Amino acid sequence: MYRTMRLVPALIAALSGSLALGASAQAQPAPGVVIGTLTCSVASGFGFVFGSSRAINCTYGGPGGRYEHYVGNISRFGVDIGYIQGGILVWTVFAPSNAVAPGALAGTYAGATASATVGVGVGANALVGGFNSSFALQPLSVEANRGLNVAAGIGAMTLTSAP
């Protein structure tokens, strides 16, 4: 147990370095226009060393006070060790134009993901997908969660419209 606790700071430092590199690579502006934000509540759960899957409940806030609700799940494939008591993800949503039909964010997204949590943690997730892969959730999400967890790898998210 003591050896494991000594490794946590090293893993966090390595993860922080990879987040900084990822942020530099993703700092280029996404093609298209900003059409709003997507805020998701992430369910609690355990990471299972090689990945995890958690339920999400999302709200899209668009221009003119437009709101849409989505449900789905977010999965990580790679290293995911620990337990998260739940969290929040917030993305800026980019699209080819501002003419976006209701429910258009539904679909499958994929990209890079990384996070570190010791008590309260942060993470980064850059995903592309949705209708004809035309939406970019970028440049990086803001993630806040609670627990003890280290994760990095490929992320996948599936969204469906909710009433």
Side-chain angles (χ1 to χ4, degrees), residues 34-39 58-70 91-93 105:
V34 174
I35 62 164
T37 59
L38 183 67
T39 303
C58 304
T59 300
Y60 164 71
R66 174 179 167 192
Y67 288 94
E68 298 176 11
H69 299 283
Y70 294 88
W91 281 281
T92 300
V93 181
L105 268 64

Side-chain angles (χ1 to χ4, degrees), residues 1 5-6 39-40 44 56-57 74 78 102 107 114 118 120 122 128 133 163:
M1 174 76 175
M5 292 309 292
R6 286 187 349 206
T39 303
C40 300
S44 61
I56 57 175
N57 188 353
I74 189 162
V118 178
V120 175
V122 297
V128 175
S133 295

Side-chain angles (χ1 to χ4, degrees), residues 47-146:
F48 294 105
V49 181
F50 296 112
S52 64
S53 183
R54 294 183 177 90
I56 57 175
N57 188 353
C58 304
T59 300
Y60 164 71
R66 174 179 167 192
Y67 288 94
E68 298 176 11
H69 299 283
Y70 294 88
V71 295
N73 64 51
I74 189 162
S75 301
R76 286 190 173 127
F77 307 99
V79 176
D80 194 346
I81 303 170
Y83 178 77
I84 297 286
Q85 291 180 351
I88 302 288
L89 298 170
V90 180
W91 281 281
T92 300
V93 181
F94 290 84
S97 74
N98 12 347
V100 177
L105 268 64
T108 302
Y109 295 78
T113 180
S115 66
T117 303
V118 178
V120 175
V122 297
N125 302 276
L127 303 176
V128 175
F131 180 73
N132 288 333
S133 295
S134 59
F135 295 98
L137 305 179
Q138 294 210 10
L140 295 173
S141 71
V142 174
E143 178 177 346
N145 44 43
R146 300 175 317 270

